[in-house]
Amino acid sequence: MPAVALVAAYVVFIILFAVGICWLWPDFVDCSDPPQIRWALHLILALLTLMEVSIWLSGVLKPWMILVILLCNGWGLWDAFLRFPIVHDLDSLFSLKQVCLVTLKLCGYALGFRNVGKYVGWFVLIVLCCVFLVPILWLTALPIGDVTSYHQKHDAVDMDIAVRLYRACCNPTDRAAAVARCRAKARSTLVVLVQACPCLKGPALRWDPSLARMVAQGGRAV
């Protein structure tokens, strides 16, 4: 029975990879603006982190793996998604950091997965899903090779998230700007949720009546 479940899990993974990443995701990237792609990446990262925390809570991973997960997902993927669609050179510190964090996460799963020899099939599947899948989505969404996109205006800030958090904590001006950006992001996210689920429109407008204009304009006003 466990072997059947493992085979079924791999079949589901292959189907989702072929349909989702190889077909639907490129179509979504081609017809979406950078803020929409960034929002989708943030949603995927939240789901990934939730899945990894669930795996950790199940006892499959050793206790210290939660630190590796939070570090790699927060300082690595979240930082990369906040800077999207900026493309960095391969020899930049940002690229070096991302490679090191992916390597750290891979080594963490190799050392922190209990009974790897007994559950090697599940280990490989979890590594594919939790270590490589989301970076592949991010890399395929980047406008690599599109020279014209390098000069287009965008709202991304090309600064390490650790530096941004430090400045937000120590500098009142940066802290106020960060709070304002968070509020704007929260409002735009709420508009997207209202458009996806109209039943939330009533509670959302009671919480912030100014959202009515944003909903009417498709969430472009902030």
Side-chain angles (χ1 to χ4, degrees), residues 60-83:
V60 175
L61 304 175
K62 295 180 180 179
W64 52 265
M65 265 301 295
I66 188 64
L67 300 178
V68 177
I69 292 171
L70 295 179
L71 174 65
C72 295
N73 289 6
W75 193 34
L77 293 175
W78 189 30
D79 182 39
F81 296 170
L82 287 173
R83 303 194 202 193

Side-chain angles (χ1 to χ4, degrees), residues 35-114:
Q36 294 174 312
I37 301 174
R38 192 185 307 124
W39 187 89
L41 288 171
H42 283 146
L43 178 60
I44 293 171
L45 177 59
L47 295 176
L48 171 67
T49 305
L50 181 61
M51 182 180 71
E52 289 188 281
V53 172
S54 300
I55 295 173
W56 176 74
L57 290 174
S58 68
V60 175
L61 304 175
K62 295 180 180 179
W64 52 265
M65 265 301 295
I66 188 64
L67 300 178
V68 177
I69 292 171
L70 295 179
L71 174 65
C72 295
N73 289 6
W75 193 34
L77 293 175
W78 189 30
D79 182 39
F81 296 170
L82 287 173
R83 303 194 202 193
F84 183 87
I86 299 174
V87 178
H88 296 83
D89 294 332
L90 291 177
D91 58 351
S92 64
L93 290 177
F94 172 81
S95 300
L96 177 63
K97 184 188 78 170
Q98 294 298 327
V99 171
C100 290
L101 289 176
V102 170
T103 305
L104 173 63
K105 196 173 187 181
L106 178 60
C107 294
Y109 271 100
L111 298 175
F113 195 93
R114 299 182 188 273

Side-chain angles (χ1 to χ4, degrees), residues 119-199:
Y119 302 106
V120 63
W122 289 108
F123 167 74
V124 173
L125 182 60
I126 290 176
V127 167
L128 290 175
C129 294
C130 298
V131 179
F132 297 111
L133 191 61
V134 176
I136 289 174
L137 289 174
W138 167 63
L139 287 173
T140 55
L142 284 174
I144 299 175
D146 187 1
V147 180
T148 59
S149 65
Y150 296 169
H151 306 288
Q152 293 179 352
K153 293 183 178 180
H154 51 75
D155 58 348
V157 179
D158 191 12
M159 182 185 298
D160 193 278
I161 189 173
V163 177
R164 296 175 65 177
L165 291 175
Y166 174 78
R167 291 185 177 182
C169 294
C170 300
N171 191 311
T173 303
D174 290 340
R175 182 164 58 250
V179 171
R181 285 195 298 268
C182 290
R183 288 178 178 173
K185 294 295 183 182
R187 296 178 68 200
S188 60
T189 301
L190 187 58
V191 169
V192 173
L193 292 176
V194 169
Q195 292 174 337
C197 186
C199 63

